Amino acid sequence: MSEVLLSQLAYAELISPKPEETVKWMVDVLGLEETHREGQSVYLRGWAEWLHSSLIVTEGAEPALGATGWRAYGPGDPEIVAKRVEAAGTGVGWVAERPGRGAAYQYRAPYGQHLHEVFWEVERYQAPPEKVDHGLLNRPQKNPGRGAQARYIDHVTIASPKMVEDIEFYKTLGQRHTAIMHVEPGFNVFATMTCNGIRPTHDLGMVPDFSGATGRVNHIAFRVDQRSDVERAAEAFLAADTPIEFGPGIHGIDEITYLYVREPGGMRIEINAGGWVNAEPDFERKDWHVKQGGTTVWQNLEMPQSMMECWPEVHGEQAEVGREGFESTDLFVPGS
Ligand SMILES: [Fe+2]
């Protein structure tokens, strides 16, 4: 029996200590559209997304990932997920509807402890008359042509103190493990997973958290159409005085053209395009050695060590242990 319980990564909740600056940057520089404000949260979406919101900016003390939302593949699937995670002992419970979605079931991965929500009922974006695209009917609105013009949410990359064990948990919900990068067998530094049968590369990325902390996030990624759009995005970032942390370049592990920056609240945001196509439900994951260009396909670039910073930050001895863990991975030398 085949089983696909989740249809897409629907949204990520970004906790920001500077919510007004974060939202302004998301709209003016990344190019998202604001759809709703309520309480301490602002709801945004890529201009080509039909769902109500793909990024929820919520005010908080420091940068962090709040809930990650997954839309189920059909009605009744959230109940199946609920039964399964309750049996695994990681269920949290049902929560009421909120802007953009109906009731959702919350659960956590056993080790990373990230909070996920699964739901079926959604609210769709309804463009006002002046924004309707009368020519391209698969678009919920016209392309506003603003900033980096981020079109869709693409993936969330989280950090786990026990990455391989968490991957096994996500697999019990039908998510497919597509690739892993290692220094030596059992010493893994990156992994990709996808929730359905047609997603090209990944909607969930994972890095190890050598500090032992839980619930941390490395970045949230948005997609544009063409690789050249990533270069145009780089120009938009520079014009907005947003420093570029890494890229544009191509990751070997997913063939994505990547570009990483930090939004005003401090979180790393990726804009990307391209990627290999994987429609095989029984595709066997690929094991990359860290020297094979999984990070930089041309094998001639050094990834900045700052790329392993995750949020919320850890401090003192815990931060030192985390840093030493990554420094032992060879991720930061050309060819890795
Ligand atoms: Fe990424």
Side-chain angles (χ1 to χ4, degrees):
M1 185 188 83
S2 61
E3 182 183 55
V4 179
L5 294 172
L6 307 175
S7 61
Q8 69 178 101
L9 168 67
Y11 56 79
E13 183 180 20
L14 167 60
I15 309 299
S16 172
K18 300 177 180 175
E20 284 305 318
E21 290 176 50
T22 293
V23 169
K24 183 168 175 27
W25 186 89
M26 292 294 174
V27 172
D28 294 344
V29 184
L30 194 62
L32 299 183
E33 297 273 276
E34 181 180 328
T35 51
H36 187 70
R37 286 183 181 229
E38 192 168 311
Q40 297 300 99
S41 297
V42 179
Y43 296 76
L44 304 115
R45 46 177 275 286
W47 62 267
E49 292 180 303
W50 287 92
L51 298 188
H52 172 275
S53 42
S54 61
L55 184 74
I56 304 166
V57 176
T58 299
E59 184 171 11
E62 54 186 327
L65 179 68
T68 301
W70 301 87
R71 191 176 186 218
Y73 210 85
D77 288 342
E79 285 77 8
I80 295 175
V81 172
K83 271 188 201 153
R84 202 157 297 177
V85 297
E86 278 167 9
T90 61
V92 175
W94 290 94
V95 290
E97 64 179 29
R98 75 175 193 185
R101 62 142 174 81
Y105 185 79
Q106 292 187 327
Y107 59 94
R108 294 183 187 276
Y111 297 97
Q113 289 290 311
H114 300 89
L115 181 65
H116 299 281
E117 300 179 338
V118 58
F119 51 90
W120 167 247
E121 298 294 340
V122 293
E123 182 181 346
R124 288 191 171 78
Y125 172 73
Q126 189 64 51
E130 68 274 15
K131 288 190 175 182
V132 171
D133 191 324
H134 296 286
L136 292 164
L137 301 186
N138 285 323
R139 294 185 173 185
Q141 68 168 88
K142 296 174 190 168
N143 179 356
R146 190 177 55 249
Q149 300 181 35
R151 184 164 181 160
Y152 312 103
I153 192 169
D154 189 72
H155 63 267
V156 177
T157 293
I158 57 178
S160 169
K162 289 196 175 186
M163 196 168 82
V164 171
E165 288 84 348
D166 275 345
I167 287 169
E168 291 305 312
F169 166 77
Y170 289 118
K171 282 164 69 175
T172 68
L173 306 182
Q175 285 162 292
R176 294 184 300 137
H177 183 200
T178 48
I180 196 162
M181 187 159 55
H182 61 83
V183 178
E184 57 189 63
F187 186 175
N188 304 298
V189 291
F190 182 63
T192 53
M193 304 195 78
T194 182
C195 74
N196 65 42
I198 53 172
R199 186 74 178 79
T201 60
H202 62 292
D203 44 33
L204 184 65
M206 298 181 76
V207 296
D209 199 325
F210 295 112
S211 76
T214 59
R216 298 208 297 157
V217 60
N218 186 272
H219 63 267
I220 301 170
F222 291 84
R223 172 163 286 253
V224 288
D225 280 336
Q226 308 294 334
R227 294 183 191 276
S228 56
D229 293 338
V230 178
E231 295 179 358
R232 183 179 45 72
E235 292 183 9
F237 292 138
L238 289 179
D241 296 323
T242 299
I244 291 172
E245 185 176 16
F246 188 39
I250 298 177
H251 293 314
I253 201 165
D254 49 26
E255 295 189 40
I256 275 175
T257 295
Y258 61 81
L259 170 62
Y260 300 92
V261 296
R262 309 261 182 119
E263 54 85 25
M267 181 68 70
R268 180 180 298 108
I269 300 295
E270 175 185 347
I271 194 98
N272 67 40
W276 62 284
V277 171
N278 169 23
E280 297 178 34
D282 54 353
F283 182 80
E284 285 188 24
R285 75 143 201 251
K286 298 302 178 224
D287 287 48
W288 290 67
H289 187 267
V290 74
K291 292 289 184 190
Q292 285 178 302
T295 306
T296 59
V297 73
W298 315 119
Q299 302 189 33
N300 60 356
L301 285 177
E302 182 177 353
M303 186 170 77
Q305 291 201 24
S306 66
M307 284 292 295
M308 287 301 126
E309 290 174 13
C310 294
W311 294 271
E313 287 183 355
V314 290
H315 304 284
E317 193 176 331
Q318 193 177 30
E320 195 59 34
V321 170
R323 195 158 40 242
E324 285 172 3
F326 271 114
E327 284 172 0
S328 66
T329 62
D330 284 347
L331 267 171
F332 307 111
V333 296
S336 66

